[in-house]
Amino acid sequence: MTTAPGLHSAAGSPLLMNENLKFLQAFLKNPLKVGAIAPSSPELAAEMLRDLKPDEENIVYELGVGTGAITRFLCDVIPSRESYLGLELDPELVANINISMPEMNIICGNAAEAYDIHKRSGLGKVRYLICCLPFVSLPKNVSEAVLAEIERFMSEGCETRIFQYAHGYYLPPAVRLREFMRTRYGRSKRSQLILNNLPPAYTLTWSTL
Ligand SMILES: C[S@@+](CC[C@H](N)C(=O)[O-])C[C@H]1O[C@@H](n2cnc3c(N)ncnc32)[C@H](O)[C@@H]1O
């Protein structure tokens, strides 16, 4: 991905400021579930989507769409609407994003049920799991339930990519998640630290393909 789609991405544009405001509102409403004070930057989005080549038989499944900071770049990556499924827990965010990005297939649901939700969608195999959930601040039982879902996709051959903020990298839930993945799928492929994100973050990728 080289350029950001113009409509959504110009830094300082009213659209972006509106998105930041919506994100902040969602954070204030539910800080632990949102887990970040700002949406992902275009630089983090680019790293999350690096080398993705989805199609209708090998779709991208995005968990935790938020205000669509990564989703808007996915518009340029997917060849068709049926190559993507997005899941977001907050119904208000889903309603907003369905207005701003009607071309994307985004539904309201819990990532702890991600596998069955995907099955019900009738879409193709999940080849890429783009997971944007704030594992550090989620309750342990929710994180464990989501990880169990990830395991189900991984057992069918999949690439899972997450991001972790640098400041939380050594907190127990972040370490626990990496340990869970490492013992099953080996060491992650970790990106450079993406400084141009608030806060700076790494992406981590595991693959069973
Ligand atoms: C850190 S934000 C990331 C948003 C966006 N993808 C980005 O990168 O800017 C995490 C998002 O995950 C959502 N979320 C939290 N728990 C969830 C769950 N169990 N199922 C689905 N979405 C969830 C939150 O509502 C929030 O929008």
Side-chain angles (χ1 to χ4, degrees):
M1 186 178 53
T2 48
T3 52
L7 222 198
H8 302 289
S9 62
S13 77
L15 276 175
L16 197 62
M17 285 191 284
N18 191 24
E19 179 192 328
N20 289 344
L21 192 63
K22 286 205 175 93
F23 196 96
L24 192 61
Q25 281 167 346
F27 172 75
L28 293 173
K29 194 173 78 179
N30 210 327
L32 297 183
K33 280 190 181 140
V34 174
I37 52 162
S40 295
S41 67
E43 288 76 9
L44 178 54
E47 202 54 51
M48 285 297 279
L49 303 182
R50 182 180 291 280
D51 297 331
L52 261 62
K53 290 185 182 62
D55 57 40
E56 291 183 12
E57 276 79 49
N58 299 280
I59 75 160
V60 187
Y61 194 7
E62 185 186 13
L63 306 181
V65 170
T67 49
I70 293 177
T71 324
R72 77 172 47 88
F73 294 97
L74 269 162
C75 295
D76 287 351
V77 172
I78 57 167
S80 65
R81 186 182 165 89
E82 286 69 33
S83 313
Y84 167 83
L85 179 63
L87 197 61
E88 167 56 50
L89 190 63
D90 182 332
E92 231 171 280
L93 289 178
V94 176
N96 285 331
I97 204 163
N98 278 329
I99 293 169
S100 61
M101 292 182 215
E103 70 279 20
M104 298 302 274
N105 200 1
I106 297 163
I107 55 179
C108 190
N110 190 337
E113 295 160 13
Y115 189 85
D116 286 344
I117 292 172
H118 165 257
K119 280 283 167 265
R120 283 199 296 274
S121 75
L123 293 170
K125 170 188 154 66
V126 174
R127 165 75 167 76
Y128 305 101
L129 204 52
I130 296 297
C131 187
C132 308
L133 302 178
F135 286 102
V136 165
S137 58
L138 289 180
K140 194 162 175 261
N141 64 320
V142 176
S143 289
E144 284 172 357
V146 175
L147 286 173
E149 296 295 280
I150 291 177
E151 223 177 344
R152 296 174 82 181
F153 289 112
M154 290 293 271
S155 72
E156 294 176 356
C158 175
E159 192 171 299
T160 295
R161 189 166 292 164
I162 65 165
F163 59 78
Q164 288 193 329
Y165 298 123
H167 69 276
Y169 199 74
Y170 291 105
L171 291 177
V175 174
R176 243 187 341 260
L177 182 151
R178 293 197 300 276
E179 194 57 15
F180 177 96
M181 296 298 279
R182 192 187 60 75
T183 52
R184 286 159 180 79
Y185 315 116
R187 291 182 75 83
S188 68
K189 202 171 147 206
R190 195 178 82 175
S191 71
Q192 298 280 318
L193 180 62
I194 299 148
L195 290 166
N196 207 342
N197 190 71
L198 188 66
Y202 297 101
T203 70
L204 302 166
T205 306
W206 292 268
S207 175
T208 51
L209 288 160

